[in-house]
Amino acid sequence: MKLGRRDFLQQAAWAGVGATLAGSAAECKAAVFGFGSSTQTAMGMRCKPLDAVRVGVIGLGMRGPGAVQTYSNIPGAQVVALSDLIQERADRQKKWLKEKGKPDAAVYAGSEDAWKKLCESDQVNLVHVTTPWLLHTPMALYAMQCGKHVAVEVPAALTVDECWSLVETSEKTRCHCMMLENCCYGESEMFALMLCRKGVLGDLVHGEGAYLHDLRDLKFNTSGYQDMWRIKYSQAHTGNPYPMHGMGPVCQYMDINRGDRFEYLTSVSSGQFGLTQFAIDKFGKNSAEAKQAYKLGDMNTTVIKTYRGRTIMVQHNTTSPRPYSRINTISGTKGILTDYPLRVALSPKSHDWMKDEELAALKAKYIHPLWDKNGESAKKAGGHGGMDYLLLLRLSYCLQNGLPLDIDVYDTALWSSVVELSERSVLKRGGSIDVPDFTRGGWKTAEPLGIVEVR
Amino acid sequence: MKLGRRDFLQQAAWAGVGATLAGSAAECKAAVFGFGSSTQTAMGMRCKPLDAVRVGVIGLGMRGPGAVQTYSNIPGAQVVALSDLIQERADRQKKWLKEKGKPDAAVYAGSEDAWKKLCESDQVNLVHVTTPWLLHTPMALYAMQCGKHVAVEVPAALTVDECWSLVETSEKTRCHCMMLENCCYGESEMFALMLCRKGVLGDLVHGEGAYLHDLRDLKFNTSGYQDMWRIKYSQAHTGNPYPMHGMGPVCQYMDINRGDRFEYLTSVSSGQFGLTQFAIDKFGKNSAEAKQAYKLGDMNTTVIKTYRGRTIMVQHNTTSPRPYSRINTISGTKGILTDYPLRVALSPKSHDWMKDEELAALKAKYIHPLWDKNGESAKKAGGHGGMDYLLLLRLSYCLQNGLPLDIDVYDTALWSSVVELSERSVLKRGGSIDVPDFTRGGWKTAEPLGIVEVR
């Protein structure tokens, strides 16, 4: 992109900020539509505290309305702008806010470019993206280029190039880019994080996470995903398109990007059986749905090796009939936690799972402070058992206090990169693929995430 | 090997048998210490029925005594010979048999070659091998060369070359070679096999099996494995040295070698943490045990792809503190079964696991006939919950009735080959490895194992 004079001046100013404020609070406030080759890291980046979090939500189909409603319960946060391709969806949320007695929200809707106006609005300082997958990165990039922090739904990116563009843009604009991995805030996941941080499980060796969720009905539902984008993705891609719900929490347990990093991965997908069988049963064997080819294998299993010798097994299956699970297993030299249902075994009694009362005592002892303080509000607010609420509560708190985010742009990029890397490995018959180091060596010296601070 | 005249005549005689009795009962009766390049398949091989199964057991340390005692409960089976490196171990079993009022058993013991005499004995028609892993294949080969059927403990072989030698020797000698994969006879596994055979789970898509068994204490126990062979193996090898307890049953669910076959696999191991930490805690950080290097990673995860597009995830971990599990998962287009604890979910109610009473009804409806008829005797006989008894009951029945074995030499070879193939993949950073077709194309036309016949 060609730089205008205004852009050039802004870029120069940020270079100055970078030089003088390294390690101090960066500002994220102005538009950048072109920038140079600054490589200042955004690891541990602290930005100028926001007096209030003024959110613009893009995408008000499936996940957006829940975000609007959750923000309405978060201290210091306010939804000030709404955008959707479809005017009526935005208007409905505007009306909902009004009925709740909240300040008026601006609406940018009804056209394919309407969301850009939201990003450009002076009223917004956090752009929240809940659109179809393919739009996540373009919208996140534009928001940061407009000087806005961005919170983007999973997966934040679909290709390694997109992941790098998120990293580079966050580094240069000094705007946060956080993937909205709500499962990192689940009650069991935060309990597991505490056990890991407190050394209860010893040195960590192996973790497992998954997204096992039968979505066949929803994928074939014409009033589900906008323009049926999700089943179209299943027609075009294999691998694991959605690895982070199970993998993200395990990365936090293992301090990935903060003392360890992914070295390589290997990925194998089964054939596709589920969608076709479902289509035959629902629409008949001569239906377009039954005759359509789908590339996405029913079960993808990816195994990741880290530099410190740990392994992570990650699975994805949205097309087989089975109960929901994210697996959520973490195993160390002193014990193991697994989930669905939640179980813990600790040395020297690790040959058996703990009895219910022992587990209850352990949960009480190692409850995460975020859950301890806000668990009741979280469960009342709802949203996947309260984790949506805690995710936005914590994001808002960090932005208002100028803290680094729990899931930074490097986590966002790394976790998203598995989308393309797993597909490449599957297409190589499970051949192993090196994982890029988005931190450019920063993982070696970064501080562990630690117990996240409490609000 | 150079052929003597006697060997040549024998070989010629077998070639004749092969030509005239193809598809009929083969004989396994004479010594072959050299043979040519016959490639007659042993798939579905039926041998001349034995009037009685006269067993010689080699290896009376850890697993052998249980086998001796189990055979004593099996109709038509008799332990006629005993062998061990250590005379006293063999004598102890001889005495036990005598006390039980059983006929006298010959003892071949006290030297490294004593077991060969057992193989050569005219009194024996089945050699049962329960020695350290490294001895399994040499003993199995010699037994077949002596014209004896052989039942060999897991893993039957440690290298792909050994696997081929078992296949070729069984084909040429027309003697059975069955790996003693007792877990194929577990109550849950045989229930799962029934669900698969009866189509209750639909088309099979993905399976999982494992050997997750904390053996650290036993590995470091000087009076455990003979000459501590198992920890020595951990010092020398990585990969999955023991894949079949979980994988074998899944192969039977999926009719591997009988309509489908392994295409390739990929395998990743974590680093080794558990043995060293255990040695430090038990022997001190300056002990030889703590300073020793161990190649075997704590957690190995192997993913296998089949020609028909199914995947099998196989894990091995004997050095992390965690409760025992073989996972035992099988997932299809109509439902899923998993274990530890046993659960089933079936369409259209597959979003939840069945309630206890529903599961009990399903178990009653689909109980495997072998368990239905012999479950009480099996549990009374003991041995891993009765499965050891059913394994030997069924083996003896097939030999007495001239039936093909449930686990034939091709299963024995394929399942064992994962030992070397997984290690090769691990050493290639998870690179994928093609799996040999030990059936040489026979899998394409072989009949499914079906519901095993009942006795």
Side-chain angles (χ1 to χ4, degrees):
Chain A
M1 269 175 283
K2 196 174 167 190
L3 296 184
R5 176 176 164 75
R6 180 181 153 82
D7 300 326
F8 177 77
L9 286 176
Q10 284 164 347
Q11 189 191 338
W14 283 329
V17 168
T20 54
L21 296 188
S24 179
E27 274 200 82
C28 167
K29 63 174 186 182
V32 211
F33 292 94
F35 40 79
S37 61
S38 161
T39 55
Q40 190 197 359
T41 185
M43 292 196 77
M45 185 170 75
R46 293 166 183 267
C47 290
K48 189 178 168 185
L50 303 181
D51 56 343
V53 182
R54 299 190 306 279
V55 191
V57 180
I58 308 177
L60 298 162
M62 294 180 74
R63 291 283 285 145
V68 170
Q69 290 156 30
T70 303
Y71 277 118
S72 76
N73 288 318
I74 306 273
Q78 181 192 337
V79 175
V80 298
L82 298 159
S83 178
D84 198 276
L85 183 64
I86 296 165
Q87 178 82 38
E88 191 265 338
R89 286 186 185 153
D91 289 343
R92 198 182 309 146
Q93 294 311 308
K94 182 185 172 81
K95 189 175 165 223
W96 186 89
L97 286 167
K98 195 175 178 184
E99 286 170 1
K100 282 282 173 183
K102 300 286 178 183
D104 194 35
V107 162
Y108 304 93
S111 78
E112 293 220 338
D113 279 347
W115 61 273
K116 289 190 177 176
K117 299 288 175 203
L118 180 148
C119 293
E120 293 159 11
S121 163
D122 284 345
Q123 296 306 303
V124 170
N125 57 22
L126 172 66
V127 174
H128 186 109
V129 179
T130 63
T131 52
W133 294 350
L134 282 163
L135 299 172
H136 288 179
T137 297
M139 289 176 171
L141 293 179
Y142 192 81
M144 287 189 280
Q145 287 161 353
C146 289
K148 311 296 158 60
H149 298 301
V150 64
V152 57
E153 264 297 341
V154 297
L158 297 170
T159 69
V160 172
D161 280 352
E162 282 192 340
C163 294
W164 276 117
S165 71
L166 292 174
V167 166
E168 289 172 0
T169 304
S170 176
E171 287 174 343
K172 288 166 189 165
T173 61
R174 314 313 291 167
C175 294
H176 287 299
C177 175
M178 178 182 184
M179 183 159 58
L180 292 160
E181 186 36 81
N182 54 351
C183 300
C184 290
Y185 297 86
E187 190 169 10
S188 297
E189 284 87 347
M190 297 203 93
F191 168 55
L193 181 65
M194 285 291 284
L195 294 186
C196 295
R197 284 293 170 282
K198 298 293 184 184
V200 178
L201 303 180
D203 289 335
L204 302 183
V205 175
H206 177 78
E208 299 182 0
Y211 188 64
L212 307 173
H213 191 185
D214 179 4
L215 296 175
R216 292 172 300 163
D217 206 46
L218 196 54
K219 283 188 181 190
F220 278 117
N221 187 334
T222 49
S223 58
Y225 301 104
Q226 174 66 29
D227 199 24
M228 300 187 77
W229 62 265
R230 198 158 182 162
I231 203 155
K232 288 178 182 169
Y233 192 90
S234 303
Q235 293 165 13
H237 291 282
T238 184
N240 182 341
Y242 204 69
M244 49 282 294
H245 280 335
M247 183 183 73
V250 173
C251 286
Q252 291 196 333
Y253 308 156
M254 289 188 177
D255 276 324
I256 301 297
N257 280 348
R258 295 166 186 80
D260 198 1
R261 84 167 185 87
F262 289 2
E263 186 178 354
Y264 57 86
L265 63 77
T266 177
S267 187
V268 178
S269 287
S270 76
Q272 185 281 119
F273 301 86
L275 287 178
T276 298
Q277 186 61 52
F278 188 86
I280 289 170
D281 295 344
K282 184 159 182 172
F283 306 108
K285 67 178 180 177
N286 292 317
S287 63
E289 290 86 349
K291 288 180 168 177
Q292 172 70 48
Y294 304 96
K295 282 191 185 165
L296 188 71
D298 287 348
M299 174 60 96
N300 175 271
T301 305
T302 300
V303 186
I304 300 160
K305 181 78 179 272
T306 80
Y307 263 78
R308 287 177 57 190
R310 282 93 68 95
T311 46
I312 307 174
M313 195 276 285
V314 185
Q315 290 185 320
H316 179 268
N317 187 333
T318 55
T319 47
S320 291
R322 53 186 298 167
Y324 181 93
S325 172
R326 298 194 298 272
I327 303 182
N328 191 30
T329 293
I330 183 72
S331 163
T333 54
K334 291 187 182 170
I336 182 170
L337 174 146
T338 191
D339 213 336
Y340 305 90
L342 185 68
R343 284 157 288 171
V344 173
L346 298 179
S347 289
K349 296 194 292 176
S350 49
H351 284 286
D352 295 295
W353 297 111
M354 278 184 173
K355 299 272 178 289
D356 288 349
E357 59 273 26
E358 282 177 285
L359 180 57
L362 193 76
K363 284 174 72 174
K365 182 172 177 186
Y366 290 103
I367 186 170
H368 191 283
L370 199 66
W371 268 95
D372 194 25
K373 187 165 179 191
N374 305 286
E376 210 166 309
S377 313
K379 285 181 174 171
K380 196 174 152 196
H384 295 104
M387 63 194 187
D388 292 358
Y389 172 81
L390 292 177
L391 164 69
L392 298 187
L393 181 75
R394 176 75 186 148
L395 168 61
S396 299
Y397 179 81
C398 289
L399 291 175
Q400 289 175 72
N401 289 275
L403 298 173
L405 303 190
D406 301 334
I407 300 167
D408 66 15
V409 73
Y410 302 101
D411 302 317
T412 297
L414 179 68
W415 302 355
S416 299
S417 73
V418 173
V419 174
E420 176 183 330
L421 299 174
S422 63
E423 181 167 19
R424 281 168 50 196
S425 177
V426 167
L427 296 176
K428 273 178 64 180
R429 302 172 84 242
S432 68
I433 304 274
D434 286 346
V435 181
D437 174 14
F438 294 99
T439 73
R440 299 190 191 87
W443 65 275
K444 295 175 192 168
T445 51
E447 289 292 308
L449 190 62
I451 301 295
V452 295
E453 292 174 53
V454 189
R455 181 205 166 110
Chain B
M1 269 177 281
K2 197 175 167 191
L3 296 185
R5 175 174 163 77
R6 179 180 156 82
D7 299 328
F8 175 78
L9 287 175
Q10 284 165 347
Q11 189 190 337
W14 283 328
V17 168
T20 55
L21 297 186
S24 180
E27 273 200 83
C28 166
K29 63 174 186 183
V32 212
F33 291 94
F35 39 79
S37 60
S38 159
T39 55
Q40 191 198 358
T41 184
M43 293 195 77
M45 185 169 74
R46 291 165 184 269
C47 291
K48 190 178 168 185
L50 304 180
D51 56 342
V53 182
R54 300 191 304 279
V55 191
V57 180
I58 309 176
L60 297 162
M62 294 179 74
R63 291 282 285 146
V68 171
Q69 290 156 31
T70 302
Y71 277 118
S72 76
N73 289 318
I74 307 272
Q78 181 192 338
V79 175
V80 298
L82 299 159
S83 179
D84 198 276
L85 183 64
I86 297 165
Q87 178 82 40
E88 190 265 337
R89 285 186 185 153
D91 290 342
R92 197 184 307 145
Q93 295 311 308
K94 183 185 171 79
K95 188 174 165 223
W96 185 89
L97 286 167
K98 195 176 179 185
E99 287 171 0
K100 281 281 173 186
K102 300 286 176 184
D104 194 35
V107 162
Y108 304 92
S111 78
E112 292 220 340
D113 279 346
W115 61 273
K116 289 189 179 177
K117 299 289 177 205
L118 181 147
C119 294
E120 293 159 12
S121 165
D122 284 344
Q123 296 306 303
V124 169
N125 58 19
L126 172 67
V127 175
H128 185 109
V129 179
T130 63
T131 52
W133 295 348
L134 282 163
L135 299 173
H136 287 179
T137 297
M139 289 175 169
L141 293 180
Y142 193 80
M144 287 188 279
Q145 287 161 352
C146 290
K148 310 296 157 60
H149 298 301
V150 63
V152 56
E153 263 297 341
V154 296
L158 297 170
T159 69
V160 172
D161 281 351
E162 283 191 339
C163 294
W164 276 118
S165 70
L166 291 174
V167 166
E168 289 171 1
T169 303
S170 176
E171 286 174 345
K172 288 166 190 165
T173 61
R174 315 312 292 167
C175 294
H176 286 300
C177 175
M178 178 182 184
M179 183 158 59
L180 293 160
E181 185 38 81
N182 55 351
C183 301
C184 290
Y185 296 86
E187 190 169 10
S188 296
E189 284 87 347
M190 296 203 94
F191 167 55
L193 180 64
M194 284 290 284
L195 294 186
C196 295
R197 284 294 171 281
K198 299 293 185 184
V200 178
L201 302 180
D203 289 336
L204 303 182
V205 176
H206 177 78
E208 300 183 358
Y211 189 64
L212 307 173
H213 192 185
D214 180 4
L215 295 175
R216 291 172 302 164
D217 206 47
L218 195 55
K219 283 188 179 190
F220 279 117
N221 188 335
T222 50
S223 58
Y225 302 103
Q226 174 67 28
D227 199 23
M228 300 186 80
W229 61 265
R230 196 157 183 164
I231 203 154
K232 288 178 182 169
Y233 192 91
S234 304
Q235 292 164 14
H237 291 281
T238 183
N240 182 342
Y242 204 68
M244 50 282 293
H245 280 335
M247 185 182 72
V250 173
C251 287
Q252 292 196 332
Y253 308 156
M254 289 188 178
D255 275 324
I256 300 298
N257 280 348
R258 294 165 186 82
D260 198 3
R261 83 168 187 89
F262 289 2
E263 185 178 354
Y264 57 86
L265 63 76
T266 177
S267 187
V268 178
S269 287
S270 78
Q272 184 281 120
F273 301 86
L275 287 177
T276 298
Q277 186 60 54
F278 188 86
I280 290 169
D281 295 344
K282 183 159 184 172
F283 306 107
K285 66 179 180 179
N286 293 317
S287 63
E289 290 86 348
K291 287 179 169 178
Q292 172 69 49
Y294 305 96
K295 281 191 186 164
L296 188 71
D298 287 348
M299 173 60 95
N300 174 271
T301 304
T302 299
V303 187
I304 300 160
K305 180 78 177 271
T306 80
Y307 263 78
R308 287 177 56 189
R310 282 91 70 96
T311 47
I312 307 174
M313 196 277 286
V314 185
Q315 291 186 319
H316 180 269
N317 188 333
T318 54
T319 46
S320 290
R322 51 185 300 166
Y324 181 93
S325 172
R326 299 193 297 271
I327 302 182
N328 190 30
T329 293
I330 184 70
S331 162
T333 53
K334 291 186 182 171
I336 181 170
L337 174 147
T338 191
D339 213 334
Y340 303 92
L342 184 69
R343 285 156 286 170
V344 173
L346 298 179
S347 290
K349 297 195 292 176
S350 50
H351 284 287
D352 295 295
W353 298 111
M354 278 184 172
K355 299 273 179 286
D356 288 349
E357 59 273 26
E358 282 177 286
L359 180 58
L362 193 76
K363 284 174 73 174
K365 182 173 178 186
Y366 291 102
I367 186 170
H368 191 283
L370 199 66
W371 268 95
D372 194 25
K373 185 164 181 194
N374 306 286
E376 211 166 307
S377 314
K379 286 183 174 169
K380 196 173 154 199
H384 295 105
M387 62 195 187
D388 291 357
Y389 172 80
L390 291 177
L391 163 68
L392 298 186
L393 182 74
R394 175 76 186 149
L395 168 60
S396 299
Y397 178 81
C398 290
L399 291 175
Q400 290 176 71
N401 289 275
L403 298 173
L405 303 189
D406 301 334
I407 300 167
D408 66 15
V409 73
Y410 302 101
D411 302 317
T412 297
L414 179 68
W415 302 355
S416 299
S417 73
V418 173
V419 174
E420 176 182 330
L421 298 175
S422 63
E423 181 167 19
R424 281 168 51 196
S425 177
V426 166
L427 296 175
K428 274 178 64 181
R429 303 171 84 242
S432 68
I433 305 275
D434 286 346
V435 180
D437 173 15
F438 295 99
T439 73
R440 299 191 191 87
W443 64 275
K444 293 176 194 168
T445 51
E447 289 292 307
L449 190 62
I451 299 296
V452 294
E453 292 172 52
V454 188
R455 181 205 168 110

